[in-house]
């Protein structure tokens, strides 16, 4: 075993003494040492219940013949960090999480890991660590939050960000806002829609590093969650004995499957950032063109919030990610022979079943023939830009208007609250990219306020958007302004043309003669 280096032989007597100080027995040290990376904290709603899952994992590890050893991981709640300087730390925290897990697992020569994340950067950070360390790993997420209820309708945190726009435009009262606040988030779990956290927890299943149900079983279904955790705990010991490692599972075909399902369910645009980073950690490269190639042939068969009215609990009732994969496999666009932590993917799909056709459509009756994310090119985005096409209204897929330029998120928020934004404009937020931000902030606040106010505008940025964002919001524009990208040259009033179906993003620069050069 890998851990023998810290527990075998006379030169490791001191090491064993330190283990004994923790209460481990000589018999415990004969078994595989399994680290449990617990993202529990008392700040993030998606992480407040993870202690219980860690205990269930420990029971599973012990039953499987391993010795569990728990240690923590940091986490940031993107919802609480949104709209202020805290968001500068969100994406960088992903690297801190991966680094710290790698440090602990390598320094103590652990034989395997159970990773317990739930929210935005914690899930990809842990998956990056798994790919880097390359010892047997299984992800056990905390599960999605149930929706709240307000005036007979489902409500979640995304409606609360939009409620600010409703209030500022006089559409709801302060009392109504307060009632909504106290109804939207009824308990533990990652925020209820198909936002970044839930998308990544679903894709952990597709990648093969988590058991079925990981992305969709609600946090409130504590019995089912604990069963998943126990089974994962037992299974990790088996993976250690068989020496099945993440890079045996995280193949290019597995990533292609993840992109396919991402397109089929209309996941967060942030998955482009995270899947490419996880692939890089696994020694693979995912060109952005691959996302668009796969999107072009993938039917969009679910329509979850923020793109629709269903939520993760509905997807779970409908058969979960396994049912989605089985349906997509009928189009011949999935690699069903890839390996997962519990065997070939084909075994998972054998008994999968769609039980709510209102939630998961068939490939013969999709919401749309192409996938949820689009990669745009043009003179304003020479190195690409990303948009969640599935969350854009049809009448905004093609849009042209004058630029209203801002050099920070704070500037556009001030303009919105002062009613200085009008219909028909293209809002440009620059200097919010990885270097310009720094940290590439999510900008859910302005997009949600725009939606709440009912403004018909597009929004472009070299930063990024939350998975909860909906509307004609195009992010990840590259090169960013701080790197001298064309977005830095946009002047107020310049005409910007957006054509998402044609994957085009153009700044219509005109010569003094009135002629328009063909930049395409």
């Amino acid at each position: 075993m890998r851990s023998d280096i810290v527990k075998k032989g006379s030169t490791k007597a001191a090491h064993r003494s330190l283990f004994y100080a923790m209460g481990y027995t000589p018999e415990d040290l004969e078994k595989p040492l399994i680290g449990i990376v617990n993202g529990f904290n008392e700040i993030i709603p998606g992480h407040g219940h993870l202690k219980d899952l860690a205990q269930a994992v420990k029971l599973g590890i012990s039953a499987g013949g391993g010795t569990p050893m728990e240690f923590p991981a940091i986490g940031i709640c993107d919802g609480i960090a949104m709209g202020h300087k805290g968001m500068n730390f969100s994406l960088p925290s992903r690297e801190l999480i991966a680094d710290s897990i790698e440090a602990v697992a390598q320094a103590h020569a652990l034989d395997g890991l159970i990773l317990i994340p739930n929210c935005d950067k914690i899930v990809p950070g842990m998956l990056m660590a798994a790919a880097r360390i390359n010892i047997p790993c299984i992800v056990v997420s905390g599960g999605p939050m149930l929706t709240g209820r307000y005036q007979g309708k489902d409500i979640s945190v995304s409606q609360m960000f939009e409620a600010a726009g409703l209030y500022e435009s006089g559409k709801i009262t302060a009392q109504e806002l307060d009632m909504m606040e106290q109804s939207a988030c009824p308990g533990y779990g990652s925020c209820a829609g198909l936002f970044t956290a839930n998308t990544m927890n679903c894709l952990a299943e597709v990648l093969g590093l988590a058991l079925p149900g990981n992305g969709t079983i609600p946090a409130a279904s504590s019995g089912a969650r604990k069963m998943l955790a126990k089974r994962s705990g037992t299974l990790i010991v088996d993976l250690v004995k068989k020496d099945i490692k993440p890079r045996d599972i995280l193949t290019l075909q597995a990533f292609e499957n993840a992109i396919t399902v991402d397109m089929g369910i209309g996941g967060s645009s942030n998955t482009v950032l995270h899947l490419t980073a996880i692939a890089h950690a696994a020694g693979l490269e995912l060109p952005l063109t691959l996302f668009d190639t796969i999107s072009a042939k993938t039917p969009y068969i679910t329509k979850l919030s923020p793109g629709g009215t269903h939520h993760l609990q509905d997807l779970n009732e409908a058969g979960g990610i396994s049912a989605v994969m089985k349906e997509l496999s009928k189009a011949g666009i999935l690699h069903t022979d890839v390996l997962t932590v519990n065997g070939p993917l084909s075994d998972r799909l054998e008994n999968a079943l769609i039980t709510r056709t209102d939630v998961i459509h068939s490939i013969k009756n999709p919401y749309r023939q192409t996938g949820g994310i689009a990669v745009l090119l043009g003179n304003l985005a020479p190195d690409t830009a990303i948009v969640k096409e599935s969350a854009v209204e049809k009448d905004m897929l093609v849009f042209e208007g004058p630029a209203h330029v801002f050099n920070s998120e704070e500037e556009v928020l001030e303009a919105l609250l002062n009613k200085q934004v009008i219909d028909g404009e293209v809002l440009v937020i620059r200097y919010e990219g990885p270097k310009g931000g720094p940290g590439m902030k999510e900008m859910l606040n302005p997009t949600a306020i725009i939606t709440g106010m009912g403004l018909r505008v597009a929004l472009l940025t070299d930063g990024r958007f939350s998975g909860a964002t909906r509307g004609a919001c195009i992010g990840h524009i590259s090169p960013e302004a701080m790197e001298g990208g064309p977005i830095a040259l946009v002047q107020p009033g310049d005409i910007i043309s957006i054509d998402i179906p044609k994957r085009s993003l153009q700044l219509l620069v005109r010569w003094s003669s009135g002629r328009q050069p063909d930049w395409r």
Side-chain angles (χ1 to χ4, degrees):
M1 285 185 290
R2 171 181 142 103
S3 61
D4 286 350
I5 198 171
V6 297
K7 62 187 186 183
K8 295 287 186 180
S10 62
T11 61
K12 300 303 185 292
H15 301 61
R16 291 191 293 274
S17 291
L18 292 168
F19 280 119
Y20 297 152
M22 294 291 292
Y24 297 110
T25 67
E27 293 76 20
D28 289 333
L29 300 187
E30 292 295 322
K31 302 171 184 177
L33 305 185
I34 309 298
I36 301 171
V37 189
N38 190 353
F40 165 79
N41 64 50
E42 294 183 343
I43 302 174
I44 308 175
H47 287 225
H49 62 305
L50 298 187
K51 278 185 178 180
D52 291 341
L53 286 186
Q55 293 305 310
V57 165
K58 290 176 185 177
L59 291 173
I61 292 171
S62 297
T67 297
M69 297 179 166
E70 182 181 347
F71 63 94
I74 67 163
I76 287 174
C77 178
D78 277 16
I80 297 173
M82 197 75 66
H84 60 93
K85 189 173 178 60
M87 186 45 67
N88 293 93
F89 295 89
S90 174
L91 186 57
S93 75
R94 184 187 71 178
E95 318 307 313
L96 296 175
I97 292 161
D99 290 348
S100 62
I101 294 169
E102 182 181 17
V104 173
Q106 299 287 41
H108 301 100
L110 298 175
D111 295 303
L113 293 174
I114 293 286
L115 305 163
I116 310 180
N118 211 25
C119 291
D120 282 15
K121 306 311 169 296
I122 302 93
V123 182
M126 289 194 181
L127 286 167
M128 289 166 61
R132 281 191 207 167
I133 305 164
N134 202 34
I135 60 175
C137 292
I138 301 177
V139 174
V140 181
S141 81
M145 186 185 294
L146 294 176
T147 58
R149 295 287 290 175
Y150 178 71
Q151 294 184 343
K153 295 181 180 179
D154 287 341
I155 185 174
S156 74
V157 71
S158 63
Q159 280 80 31
M160 290 317 307
F161 279 100
E162 293 174 7
L166 294 172
Y167 175 73
E168 291 295 334
S169 59
K171 296 176 182 177
I172 61 172
T173 66
Q175 183 180 13
E176 288 173 314
L177 181 63
D178 181 65
M179 290 172 66
M180 291 176 70
E181 287 173 23
Q182 304 208 30
S183 303
C185 298
Y188 292 133
S190 46
C191 298
L194 192 62
F195 314 140
T196 304
N198 287 326
T199 304
M200 289 307 303
N201 280 326
C202 289
L203 297 188
E205 284 186 47
V206 185
L207 287 169
L209 286 186
L211 290 176
N214 178 75
T216 59
I217 297 172
S221 300
S222 58
R225 273 278 151 200
K226 289 177 182 177
M227 287 171 61
L228 184 75
K230 285 182 184 177
R231 287 171 176 159
S232 298
T234 302
L235 181 58
I236 191 65
V237 182
D238 188 49
L239 292 184
V240 169
K241 292 175 180 176
K242 293 178 179 177
D243 197 30
I244 297 176
K245 302 185 179 92
R247 292 195 188 187
D248 300 323
I249 295 170
L250 296 175
T251 61
L252 179 59
Q253 291 73 30
F255 281 101
E256 288 178 348
N257 282 350
I259 296 170
T260 299
V261 172
D262 192 16
M263 299 302 165
I265 63 177
S268 166
S269 60
N270 283 316
T271 55
V272 176
L273 286 174
H274 298 321
L275 287 176
T276 52
I278 297 162
H280 182 73
L284 301 169
E285 297 299 323
L286 296 183
L288 289 184
T289 52
L290 182 61
F291 288 80
D292 215 42
T293 299
I294 291 176
S295 181
K297 62 183 180 182
T298 304
Y300 173 47
I301 61 172
T302 75
K303 197 171 178 64
L304 306 182
S305 174
T309 57
H310 294 127
H311 294 80
L312 267 291
Q313 64 204 60
D314 299 301
L315 181 58
N316 190 61
E317 290 175 7
I321 291 300
S322 293
V324 170
M325 285 193 284
K326 185 169 185 176
E327 187 61 28
L328 290 174
S329 71
K330 295 175 184 177
I333 54 176
L334 278 184
H335 305 284
T336 59
D337 57 346
V338 296
L339 183 65
T340 75
V341 290
N342 66 332
L345 178 61
S346 55
D347 288 356
R348 292 189 181 187
L349 306 189
E350 188 173 345
N351 297 316
L353 182 68
I354 297 175
T355 55
R356 282 185 58 183
T357 55
D358 62 317
V359 178
I360 304 174
H361 282 204
S362 72
I363 59 169
K364 294 180 180 179
N365 180 36
Y367 287 101
R368 206 176 57 234
Q369 295 293 338
T370 56
I373 295 174
V375 180
L376 310 185
L377 284 167
N379 64 7
L380 194 51
D383 293 343
T384 70
I386 305 295
V387 63
K388 185 171 180 176
E389 185 177 2
S390 59
V392 181
E393 295 294 336
K394 287 184 179 180
D395 67 345
M396 292 295 292
L397 290 171
V398 178
F399 188 80
E400 186 173 297
H404 192 161
V405 182
F406 306 91
N407 290 325
S408 70
E409 179 190 21
E410 289 77 12
E411 287 183 15
V412 75
L413 285 172
E414 183 178 356
L416 285 165
L417 295 179
N418 289 329
K419 314 297 189 297
Q420 294 170 350
V421 174
I422 60 174
D423 284 347
E425 292 183 327
V426 178
L427 311 186
V428 177
I429 309 176
R430 59 194 180 191
Y431 298 103
E432 290 289 12
K435 291 184 179 179
M440 204 176 188
K441 296 189 296 186
E442 279 186 350
M443 284 176 278
L444 177 57
N445 264 12
T447 64
I449 290 172
I450 287 167
T451 300
M453 287 182 165
L455 291 168
R456 190 176 182 274
V457 298
L459 199 158
L460 315 181
T461 183
D462 53 5
R464 62 194 178 93
F465 296 116
S466 164
T469 289
R470 59 190 176 115
C473 301
I474 300 169
H476 305 219
I477 291 177
S478 180
E480 63 175 295
M482 188 62 79
E483 287 281 291
I487 191 173
L489 304 176
V490 179
Q491 297 297 312
D494 285 350
I495 302 300
I496 293 174
S497 173
I498 300 165
D499 193 329
I500 295 174
K502 291 185 178 179
R503 305 299 192 249
S504 173
L505 180 62
Q506 302 288 346
L507 175 63
L508 302 184
V509 180
R510 300 182 186 278
W511 299 97
S512 58
S513 64
R515 292 185 298 109
Q516 180 182 324
D518 185 359
W519 290 89
R520 288 164 280 188

